[in-house]
Amino acid sequence: MNQPTDLRFTAAHLVSELGGRLDGSPETQIRRFASLQRATRDEASFLAHPRYQTQLASTKAGLVVLKDASVARQLGLTCTLIETLDPYLYFARAATLMQRHLRMASVSATQIASSAVVHPSAVIGRRVRIADQVVIGADCVVGDDSDIGAGCVLERNVEIGAGAYLHPRVTIYPDVRIGSRIVIHSGAVIGSDGFGFAPQSDKAWMKIPQVGGVTIGDDVEIGANTTIDRGTREDTVIGNGVKLDNQIQIAHNVKIGDHTAIAACVGVAGSAVIGAHCQIGGAAGILGHLSIADGTIVGPMSLVMSSLDLADKYVGVFPLQTQAQWEKSAATVRRLPQLRQQLRSLLGSKGTPSDRATED
């Protein structure tokens, strides 16, 4: 899956595709983005925070994206500039645009490695790259301009939209529907059985067949070694634009709303419903059969034990509260020794009988 590195982009092309105000030569050509410190004349960079302004004065970049071109000119910078309200977002969009063009330049027709196994009933789109030792099962569909990395397995009846990128060793179980422009990192498993077992009279466990599937929307990213279990009867659902970090467990029947972001090592138990535009911090735990309101933020290592119906920022392992309430509680806890001493002074130097019992 190597890509050509000599493709160049003009400043005029970037502005025509992404907007911004051009200050300098529209013919300036760049091949990629780099840091202000390391960029060379055929590379672009960006200034997103004033703390890096000292690096701006000495950069050798051929093009710089920034908020205020006059600042760069006052520092003596002579390179081409693109002025925009959000340089960091502009960089992200520009880098994505360049990556897409590089991919298009490198793949003119579908390429299937000789060691790959593709079932005759599978439908493979145009300009798809299928790497070594990939297995694609019966009735699968892979959309145009997709990359399937080495050792990936797509079992029966998997559907993947256009522009997908599966890194090596992704495993997708049967009956999974995935939208366009997905990115799935190595070791991820999509559609494995949910953890469903019924207790029996002899205290042994009876497995409950997991006959649902998984439905994933467009523009989703799934991190390395993340697992999304299939539903028990209906699908587990991941909305459009959801971003899942590495080593996350999404249990059966979970529903995650559009554009929610979940950091590494979070565990989401079965049938939880997480709203849209939420942010879940690393190593948080979310119990099953509860709901979280749209726009909610859950801090790292927090344990959500009941539904959060009001969008706010919640932090802390015990107790889980809004951030404002938790900060007050933490301040009170720090003052407990002092408050205890004041209380003992009010009650007398010997303290109460309960104090003496504790000290004994």
Side-chain angles (χ1 to χ4, degrees), residues 30-31 34-36 38-44 59-63:
I30 60 167
R31 58 186 178 86
S35 67
L36 285 167
R38 296 189 177 184
T40 59
R41 295 300 299 176
D42 62 351
E43 295 174 326
T59 188
K60 305 237 178 346
L63 183 150

Side-chain angles (χ1 to χ4, degrees), residues 26-321:
E27 302 305 318
T28 298
Q29 294 188 354
I30 60 167
R31 58 186 178 86
R32 69 184 190 102
F33 274 80
S35 67
L36 285 167
Q37 286 181 314
R38 296 189 177 184
T40 59
R41 295 300 299 176
D42 62 351
E43 295 174 326
S45 192
F46 64 96
L47 176 68
H49 196 283
R51 74 165 68 101
Y52 299 111
Q53 194 163 305
T54 56
Q55 297 179 18
L56 178 64
S58 60
T59 188
K60 305 237 178 346
L63 183 150
V64 175
V65 179
L66 73 179
K67 277 187 179 180
D68 188 353
S70 64
V71 172
R73 297 305 184 212
Q74 289 168 10
L75 292 171
L77 214 62
T78 60
C79 69
T80 299
L81 307 174
I82 295 177
E83 198 174 68
T84 182
L85 290 175
D86 190 339
Y88 190 60
L89 177 60
Y90 199 98
F91 153 67
R93 294 174 63 200
T96 300
L97 175 70
M98 295 166 71
Q99 187 177 54
R100 185 167 68 246
H101 278 276
L102 284 167
R103 205 270 177 194
M104 290 170 58
S106 66
V107 184
S108 59
T110 292
Q111 304 167 6
I112 301 176
S114 59
S115 61
V117 178
V118 179
H119 194 278
S121 65
V123 177
I124 308 300
R126 297 170 298 174
R127 299 176 300 278
V128 172
R129 287 188 296 192
I130 298 175
D132 290 324
Q133 298 183 343
V134 168
V135 177
I136 298 180
D139 302 318
C140 287
V141 176
V142 178
D144 297 345
D145 301 301
S146 293
D147 289 280
I148 311 298
C152 288
V153 176
L154 280 60
E155 295 193 34
R156 174 186 49 79
N157 199 31
V158 168
E159 184 175 326
I160 299 177
Y165 198 108
L166 273 59
H167 289 267
R169 297 185 299 101
V170 170
T171 301
I172 304 179
Y173 283 47
D175 303 317
V176 171
R177 299 287 178 269
I178 297 175
S180 298
R181 299 173 300 280
I182 183 122
V183 177
I184 308 179
H185 291 272
S186 296
V189 177
I190 315 297
S192 49
D193 277 0
F195 192 67
F197 299 88
Q200 302 183 87
S201 58
D202 61 356
K203 298 185 179 181
W205 297 97
M206 170 67 72
K207 181 177 177 64
I208 301 172
Q210 306 292 294
V211 298
V214 177
T215 298
I216 298 174
D218 298 333
D219 301 301
V220 172
E221 182 148 353
I222 298 170
N225 296 320
T226 284
T227 301
I228 301 174
D229 289 344
R230 68 196 310 106
T232 304
R233 294 179 299 277
E234 300 178 357
D235 287 1
T236 300
V237 178
I238 310 297
N240 295 323
V242 169
K243 310 303 180 190
L244 302 178
D245 198 359
N246 302 332
Q247 298 181 330
I248 292 171
Q249 163 65 27
I250 306 296
H252 57 189
N253 311 319
V254 166
K255 291 179 171 50
I256 300 177
D258 294 350
H259 304 292
T260 283
I262 302 181
C265 299
V266 168
V268 182
S271 300
V273 178
I274 300 174
H277 303 284
C278 294
Q279 299 175 47
I280 312 297
I286 299 173
L287 270 60
H289 301 276
L290 55 75
S291 61
I292 295 177
D294 294 350
T296 297
I297 299 174
V298 176
M301 300 191 73
S302 299
L303 177 61
V304 182
M305 301 179 68
S306 59
S307 291
L308 303 177
D309 299 323
L310 178 65
D312 207 321
K313 183 174 183 179
Y314 297 85
V315 298
V317 178
F318 176 79
L320 184 73
Q321 301 171 301

Side-chain angles (χ1 to χ4, degrees), residues 340-341 343-360:
R340 181 173 183 272
Q341 187 59 44
L343 181 61
R344 291 187 64 185
S345 297
L346 289 172
L347 295 174
S349 60
K350 292 185 178 180
T352 65
S354 61
D355 282 335
R356 292 194 298 273
T358 301
E359 290 170 354
D360 292 340

